[in-house]
């Protein structure tokens, strides 16, 4: 058996590529200097794979920004507005990635979208009616040659034709199928070039095959490959899938003239059954994704061995591989200096996963796999009782019944009680929570963290910020106030730091998009609330005003989705543990006189399964109840808000209503208010604040513009249910634009109020 991986992280163990790129953007280094840094990373990655015992090493998994964008450039699918700037090749590429504003012109970047169910984002290729798709770039060939010159014959990785056409946005009349012939030709030409260079394998990444596929999709996929594959000559083609199973097209894949098929045995719920029940085509190599490319835990060799043993007789040749590219995990544990040994030994980042692949190969090839020391070490690691078990939490979660997940009295009755209690005007105004995190705020937090100023000094600073923020909101005339979230660095990290069961790493950076990386906290043990997390600030803020002060929390699903989750208990169980902790905070806020509490679920949609048929059972059936558990214990007169950062919830609208919040605010300003029709059609009962202006831009919306937005909303939402607010938190905005924007918002709401009462 051989070992391989689908791709390796390219930012560098200490984010070298990020820093070099940003310097290049600021013109502090030259293109040559950036290229040299990039080459260093590539060669390091090449050598570490070789040294760890990886047999088949990929290339072209490197990218200056994003692999889909690379593919668009490779095949000439680049909108003219970028090429016409007359910049260098690299700068044209960066213009498409990040936008360009300078002496040569002013263009926005391509759209960016979430990469399947990960927190990585890709650039959406734009194709219009006269786009000519043809092989025009040279990057994959250059990188193949570079690796060859360094002694390794790699397997170049390219986004596959089907996935590429599915991800593109079509600006004209033509659709994906209209580009099938030229796309297939371009890919065939690519294979031809690689044959000439002496490549043995080429890998086509086709994650779109794990999504629900229509008959038309399958037809497009098959027709593409029937045209591409005859051109492959001496090159072997690996059709690589990941992020799920290929249940809709397994038969068709097996029938293609490809030489290898890559399947995900980790996230693909049906992958094992597909292979076990249907067999695997003779003469093809099965690249078995058994090492999780999305999480940071050590592989459970006992489980992996069972998987490999179960399919061994089905395929004539198996390559042991990762479930997806290692892009989604941090580079190396080497730079983690503070993890205690008993925890560290459970971790495997990209580099450590390479070793795991080699160990798995050794185990399955040995005569008595279960007697190998590697196997036994893994078994004891995975059976040992981990620290961080909290019996009380486990028991509480185990004992939950349906009754605990329902808030009473039901919505309409609460709405009546709350209208009476708060006596808010029509179209109440509020904000989403954070106020500008100025340089001063960040600097002071840093000073506190490094011990330069004392906790008392820091607390006094935060109090001052809160007092100013409350005074400002009163002056502007908002109806429901917030404290401003000055004490928070990040909406998940802040809570993670206050909860028992979380671990923080130093260097576990993962690319989110371009040069932006995130460092998700790790859920290690059972989650519990060590102490009140927000009560002190909420109470202080409320003491400064007679208006209702919103308590601000992050919800359990968002906290879970933006962390590395455990694998030794289910996501559902973790979600309920976090929900229990947040619930305690909610009740504590209520007991301390906070009458409105917002529980943000910014990332609710993030981990929605890729297949619609899995939505309920795998996700919504526990995610929505976990949210309900957070607030089911409050009194009828306490008002629960939630917030989501997007408006794409037409397809889960019932579930959103089922969260049973009293008010929901969300992003609507950039999505032409289409969601409002959906709300009306579904008799959405939760009160709504569809953001009336876009906080992602420094622009100040005029009063009239906001009034127009309110007017459009009123056509679709009963006046008694409409709130007026920006579409997200103001943390990234400057105070200069925030004040006039909110003043205009309040003025617009007042006018609308007068006209409608
Ligand atoms: N309450 C948070 C804030 O205002 C919400 C952030 C978010 O939705 N991403 O910053
Ligand atoms: Zn938001």
């Amino acid at each position: 058996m051989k070992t391989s991986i689908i791709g390796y992280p390219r930012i560098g163990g200490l984010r070298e590529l990020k820093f070099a790129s940003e310097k290049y953007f600021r013109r502090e280094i030259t293109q040559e200097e950036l290229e040299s840094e990039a080459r260093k990373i590539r060669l390091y990655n090449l050598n570490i794979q070789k040294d760890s015992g990886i047999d088949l090493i990929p290339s072209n998994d490197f990218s200056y920004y994003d692999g889909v964008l690379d593919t668009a450039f490779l095949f000439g699918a680049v909108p003219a507005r970028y090429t016409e700037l007359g910049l260098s090749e690299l700068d044209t590429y960066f213009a498409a990635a990040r936008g360009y504003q300078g002496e040569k012109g002013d263009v926005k970047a391509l759209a960016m979208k979430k990469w399947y169910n990960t927190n990585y984002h890709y650039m959406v290729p734009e194709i219009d009616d006269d786009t000519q798709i043809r092989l025009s770039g040279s990057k994959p060939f250059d990188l193949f040659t570079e690796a060859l010159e360094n002694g390794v014959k790699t397997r170049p990785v390219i986004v596959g034709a089907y996935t590429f056409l599915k991800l593109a946005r079509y600006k004209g009349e033509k659709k994906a199928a209209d580009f099938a012939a030229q796309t297939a030709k371009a890919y065939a030409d690519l294979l031809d070039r690689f044959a000439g260079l002496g490549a043995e394998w080429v890998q086509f990444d086709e994650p779109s095959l794990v999504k629900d596929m229509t008959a038309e999709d399958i037809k497009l996929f098959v027709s593409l490959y029937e045209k591409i594959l005859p051109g492959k000559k001496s090159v072997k083609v690996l059709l690589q899938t990941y992020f799920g199973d290929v249940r809709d097209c397994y038969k068709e894949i097996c029938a293609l003239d490809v030489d290898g098929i890559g399947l995900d045995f980790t996230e693909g719920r049906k992958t094992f059954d597909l292979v076990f029940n249907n067999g695997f085509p003779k003469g093809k190599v099965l690249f078995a994704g058994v090492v999780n490319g999305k999480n940071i835990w050590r592989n459970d060799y006992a489980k992996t061995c069972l998987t490999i043993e179960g399919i061994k007789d089905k395929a004539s040749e198996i390559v042991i591989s990762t479930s997806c590219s290692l892009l989604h995990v941090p580079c190396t544990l080497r730079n983690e200096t503070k993890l205690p040994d008993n925890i560290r030994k459970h971790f495997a980042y990209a580099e450590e996963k390479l070793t795991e692949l080699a160990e798995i190969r050794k185990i399955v090839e040995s005569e008595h796999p279960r007697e190998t020391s590697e196997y036994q070490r893994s078994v004891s690691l995975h059976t040992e009782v981990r620290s961080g078990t909290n019996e009380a939490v486990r028991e509480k979660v185990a004992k939950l019944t349906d009754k605990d997940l329902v808030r009473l009295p039901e919505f309409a009755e609460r709405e009546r009680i709350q209208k009476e209690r708060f006596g808010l005007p029509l179209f109440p105004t509020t904000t989403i929570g954070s106020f500008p995190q100025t340089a001063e705020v960040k600097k002071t937090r840093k000073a506190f963290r490094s011990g330069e100023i004392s906790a008392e000094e820091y607390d006094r600073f935060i109090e001052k910020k809160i007092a100013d923020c409350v005074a400002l909101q009163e002056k502007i005339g908002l109806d429901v106030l917030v404290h401003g979230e000055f004490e928070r660095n990040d909406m998940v990290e802040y809570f993670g730091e206050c909860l028992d069961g979380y671990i923080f790493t130093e260097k576990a950076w993962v690319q989110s998009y371009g040069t932006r990386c995130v460092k998700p906290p790790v859920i290690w043990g059972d989650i519990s609330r060590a102490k009140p997390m927000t009560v002190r600030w909420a109470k202080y803020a409320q003491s400064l005003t007679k208006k209702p002060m919103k308590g601000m929390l992050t919800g359990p699903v968002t906290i879970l989705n933006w962390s590395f989750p455990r694998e030794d208990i289910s996501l559902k169980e973790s979600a309920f543990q976090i929900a229990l902790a947040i619930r305690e905070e909610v009740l504590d806020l209520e007991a301390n006189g906070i009458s409105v509490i917002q529980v943000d679920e910014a990332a609710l949609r993030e981990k929605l399964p890729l297949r619609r048929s899995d939505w309920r059972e795998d996700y919504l059936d526990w995610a929505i109840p976990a949210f309900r558990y957070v607030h089911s214990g409050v009194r009828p007169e306490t008002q629960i808000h939630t917030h989501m950062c997007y408006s794409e919830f037409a397809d889960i609208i019932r579930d959103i209503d089922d969260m049973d919040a009293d008010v929901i605010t969300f992003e609507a300003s950039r999505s032409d208010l289409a969601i409002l029709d959906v709300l009306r059609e579904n008799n959405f009962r939760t009160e709504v604040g569809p953001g009336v202006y876009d906080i992602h831009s420094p622009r100040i919306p005029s009063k009239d513009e906001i009034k127009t937005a309110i007017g459009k909303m009123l056509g679709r939402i009963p006046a008694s249910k409409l709130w007026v607010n920006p579409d997200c938190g103001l943390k990234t905005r400057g105070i200069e634009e925030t004040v006039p924007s909110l003043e205009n918002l309040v003025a617009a709401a007042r006018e609308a109020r007068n006209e409608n009462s």
Side-chain angles (χ1 to χ4, degrees):
M1 273 185 209
K2 291 196 166 124
T3 54
S4 189
I5 63 167
I6 295 176
Y8 203 75
R10 57 231 180 180
I11 49 168
L14 296 167
R15 291 180 292 162
E16 291 86 346
L17 185 64
K18 168 198 171 72
F19 297 120
S21 304
E22 287 172 352
K23 276 191 200 145
Y24 177 73
F25 299 155
R26 293 191 300 263
R27 295 286 171 246
E28 289 165 19
I29 60 170
T30 63
Q31 177 166 341
E32 288 67 39
E33 286 169 302
L34 173 62
E35 284 169 350
S36 133
E37 192 61 58
R39 193 170 322 113
K40 253 197 266 167
I41 294 174
R42 287 195 299 266
L43 295 185
Y44 179 87
N45 291 353
L46 194 69
N47 287 322
I48 192 86
Q49 291 178 60
K50 207 167 66 178
D51 296 347
S52 309
I54 300 301
D55 303 306
L56 302 168
I57 298 176
S59 63
N60 197 43
D61 49 347
F62 174 85
S63 175
Y64 278 111
Y65 205 89
D66 165 54
V68 179
L69 185 63
D70 294 355
T71 314
F73 271 76
L74 176 64
F75 293 122
V78 182
R81 62 178 184 278
Y82 302 118
T83 49
E84 279 163 2
L85 291 168
L87 301 165
S88 72
E89 206 180 313
L90 184 65
D91 286 347
T92 308
Y93 172 85
F94 282 135
R98 316 170 55 236
Y100 175 90
Q101 212 164 22
E103 61 212 31
K104 308 235 168 144
D106 185 355
V107 284
K108 283 202 227 143
L110 287 172
M112 187 166 73
K113 257 180 125 173
K114 238 168 72 72
W115 180 242
Y116 302 89
N117 53 0
T118 72
N119 196 12
Y120 178 75
H121 301 74
Y122 69 95
M123 305 306 300
V124 183
E126 254 176 44
I127 296 183
D128 59 38
D129 287 351
D130 32 66
T131 300
Q132 290 295 324
I133 297 184
R134 62 187 141 77
L135 183 60
S136 43
S138 69
K139 174 183 162 251
F141 312 114
D142 300 342
L143 298 192
F144 175 80
T145 307
E146 176 188 86
L148 199 59
E149 284 166 2
N150 283 279
V152 184
K153 186 179 272 193
T154 52
R155 182 183 71 241
V157 178
I158 322 281
V159 175
Y162 174 72
T163 294
F164 180 71
L165 287 181
K166 288 302 277 186
L167 295 181
R169 184 175 285 172
Y170 298 88
K171 305 295 268 189
E173 303 283 306
K174 292 191 191 164
K175 293 277 164 290
D178 300 311
F179 293 92
Q182 40 176 297
T183 303
K185 165 86 171 55
Y187 277 79
D189 289 347
L190 174 118
L191 288 177
D192 188 60
R193 277 279 282 284
F194 273 122
L197 290 173
E200 189 185 342
W201 282 95
V202 168
Q203 169 182 327
F204 289 139
D205 279 0
E206 291 286 13
S208 278
L209 298 176
V210 310
K211 296 186 64 167
D212 289 320
M213 289 175 84
T214 62
E216 206 181 324
D217 289 333
I218 296 176
K219 210 172 106 197
L220 174 65
F221 160 62
V222 172
S223 77
L224 281 165
Y225 277 86
E226 279 176 355
K227 291 192 195 90
I228 295 170
L229 295 170
K232 73 186 163 105
K233 302 213 174 104
S234 58
V235 181
K236 294 189 215 160
V237 169
L238 163 60
L239 186 84
Q240 181 65 57
T241 67
Y242 42 83
F243 300 148
D245 62 66
V246 290
R247 65 185 86 153
D248 291 344
C249 60
Y250 184 65
K251 226 176 58 222
E252 285 79 5
I253 291 179
C254 289
L256 287 177
D257 183 26
V258 293
D259 305 272
I261 300 174
L263 301 176
D264 176 352
F265 285 85
T266 303
E267 208 177 343
R269 272 211 294 151
K270 300 207 170 166
T271 303
F272 184 87
D273 290 349
L274 282 172
V275 176
F276 195 80
N277 299 334
N278 302 297
F280 191 79
K282 275 206 188 47
K284 296 196 197 321
V285 185
L286 171 55
F287 285 68
V290 290
V291 169
N292 191 343
K294 276 187 171 174
N295 214 338
I296 47 132
W297 307 109
R298 286 219 164 265
N299 188 271
D300 184 345
Y301 292 166
K303 245 167 86 186
T304 297
C305 281
L306 282 177
T307 303
I308 295 176
E309 283 162 4
I311 53 174
K312 211 162 66 191
D313 300 333
K314 305 282 171 186
S316 41
E317 195 181 338
I318 292 180
V319 173
I320 305 161
S321 186
T322 52
S323 65
C324 61
S325 167
L326 295 175
L327 177 70
H328 310 291
V329 289
C331 287
T332 169
L333 265 173
R334 263 186 244 222
N335 301 323
E336 298 290 353
T337 61
K338 296 198 182 118
L339 284 178
D341 284 342
N342 67 324
I343 290 175
R344 186 192 188 90
K345 68 181 183 191
H346 287 270
F347 279 37
Y349 296 173
E351 198 173 309
E352 292 74 28
K353 285 176 194 281
L354 300 175
T355 311
E356 292 194 317
L357 287 160
E359 289 186 356
I360 294 169
R361 178 188 51 199
K362 183 180 162 211
I363 293 171
V364 294
E365 281 189 338
S366 73
E367 213 166 310
H368 302 288
R370 286 168 180 75
E371 281 159 30
T372 55
S373 57
E374 289 83 358
Y375 184 94
Q376 293 187 351
R377 236 185 305 125
S378 173
V379 169
S380 56
L381 188 72
H382 283 88
T383 46
E384 82 175 24
V385 182
R386 264 162 66 154
S387 63
T389 306
N390 184 326
E391 291 303 340
V393 166
R394 293 207 169 191
E395 203 180 309
K396 267 191 208 154
V397 169
K399 282 200 178 136
L400 287 180
T401 63
D402 289 350
K403 227 178 70 204
D404 298 310
L405 310 178
V406 179
R407 182 175 174 201
L408 288 174
E410 51 93 46
F411 181 86
E413 175 65 4
R414 292 185 333 245
E415 192 176 31
R416 195 188 55 73
I417 294 171
Q418 290 167 19
K419 291 250 186 260
E420 203 176 296
R421 170 182 189 177
F422 294 107
L424 291 169
L426 198 60
F427 315 138
T429 54
T430 190
T431 62
I432 308 304
S434 57
F435 265 66
Q437 286 249 338
T438 54
E440 180 203 20
V441 174
K442 289 186 199 149
K443 206 182 83 199
T444 311
R445 180 158 48 242
K446 212 163 150 201
F448 165 55
R449 291 205 160 184
S450 67
E452 262 168 68
I453 62 167
S454 68
E456 293 75 58
E457 279 173 284
Y458 180 64
D459 287 356
R460 240 175 292 129
F461 170 78
I462 297 288
E463 280 185 356
K464 171 83 170 53
K465 294 302 294 181
I466 292 176
D468 291 349
C469 184
V470 172
L472 174 67
Q473 293 172 80
E474 293 216 312
K475 182 157 162 270
I476 293 174
L478 289 152
D479 299 307
V480 175
L481 311 194
V482 297
H483 76 287
E485 300 182 24
F486 302 105
E487 77 286 8
R488 301 183 194 176
N489 35 1
D490 170 275
M491 65 187 290
V492 169
E493 198 175 24
Y494 179 79
F495 289 93
E497 282 172 355
C498 299
L499 292 169
D500 278 346
Y502 260 98
I503 298 232
F504 291 86
T505 59
E506 286 164 89
K507 295 279 160 26
W509 295 101
V510 178
Q511 190 176 16
S512 172
Y513 63 86
T515 59
R516 178 158 169 82
C517 302
V518 293
K519 189 156 65 70
V522 179
I523 304 180
W524 162 259
D526 292 334
I527 298 291
S528 62
R529 190 182 74 139
K531 53 179 194 292
M533 305 183 279
T534 63
V535 175
R536 156 186 189 165
W537 303 121
K539 219 170 121 178
Y540 173 69
Q542 182 66 82
S543 76
L544 303 170
T545 178
K546 292 208 161 51
K547 290 188 168 171
M549 172 62 57
K550 270 200 276 193
M552 264 313 142
L553 306 172
T554 303
V557 186
T558 297
I559 293 184
L560 180 65
N561 284 352
W562 280 342
S563 307
F564 282 118
R566 290 167 71 170
E567 283 176 353
D568 60 329
I569 65 171
S570 66
L571 291 177
K572 172 180 173 176
E573 177 127 18
S574 275
F576 275 101
Q577 291 185 354
I578 303 169
L580 174 62
I582 303 295
R583 175 189 171 94
E584 288 170 1
E585 185 74 10
V586 164
L587 293 174
D588 223 347
L589 283 169
E590 184 184 54
N592 279 281
I594 303 300
S595 55
V596 182
I597 301 167
Q598 179 171 311
V599 183
D600 291 328
E601 282 293 12
L604 182 82
R605 232 198 130 85
E606 200 111 321
K607 296 257 164 99
L608 196 64
L610 294 175
R611 287 177 189 278
R612 203 175 252 268
S613 50
D614 296 340
W615 280 7
R616 231 137 272 293
E617 202 185 319
D618 283 6
Y619 190 71
L620 294 170
D621 280 356
W622 54 260
I624 304 297
F627 181 88
R628 282 210 306 262
Y629 183 49
V630 163
H631 67 94
S632 60
V634 300
R635 294 192 292 263
E637 63 270 27
T638 298
Q639 190 167 70
I640 299 295
H641 290 219
T642 189
H643 165 72
M644 282 167 205
C645 287
Y646 50 83
S647 64
E648 284 161 45
F649 43 68
D651 44 10
I652 51 168
I653 191 98
R654 301 262 170 206
D655 302 276
I656 306 257
D657 224 8
D658 245 14
M659 290 164 73
D660 205 20
D662 298 304
V663 181
I664 177 171
T665 57
F666 55 88
E667 188 257 291
S669 54
R670 284 177 301 174
S671 55
D672 64 26
L673 306 173
I675 184 67
L676 302 182
D677 292 318
V678 180
L679 297 179
R680 188 184 48 188
E681 285 153 22
N682 285 278
N683 285 320
F684 199 70
R685 88 194 151 163
T686 314
E687 294 188 6
V688 287
V692 292
Y693 78 88
D694 175 12
I695 61 90
H696 304 87
S697 140
R699 241 188 110 248
I700 297 166
S702 70
K703 180 193 73 185
D704 289 341
E705 196 177 318
I706 297 177
K707 250 196 85 188
T708 311
I710 296 174
K712 283 194 196 149
M713 291 169 187
L714 273 178
R716 295 153 169 107
I717 295 169
S720 64
K721 284 194 188 287
L722 184 64
W723 287 66
V724 175
N725 45 264
D727 70 354
C728 196
L730 300 163
K731 137 174 95 194
T732 56
R733 291 274 58 89
I735 198 75
E736 328 70 64
E737 68 255 24
T738 296
V739 173
S741 297
L742 291 178
E743 281 169 351
N744 291 348
L745 178 146
V746 167
R750 282 189 180 146
E751 278 191 25
R753 210 171 272 162
N754 291 335
E755 289 164 20
N756 283 275
S757 38

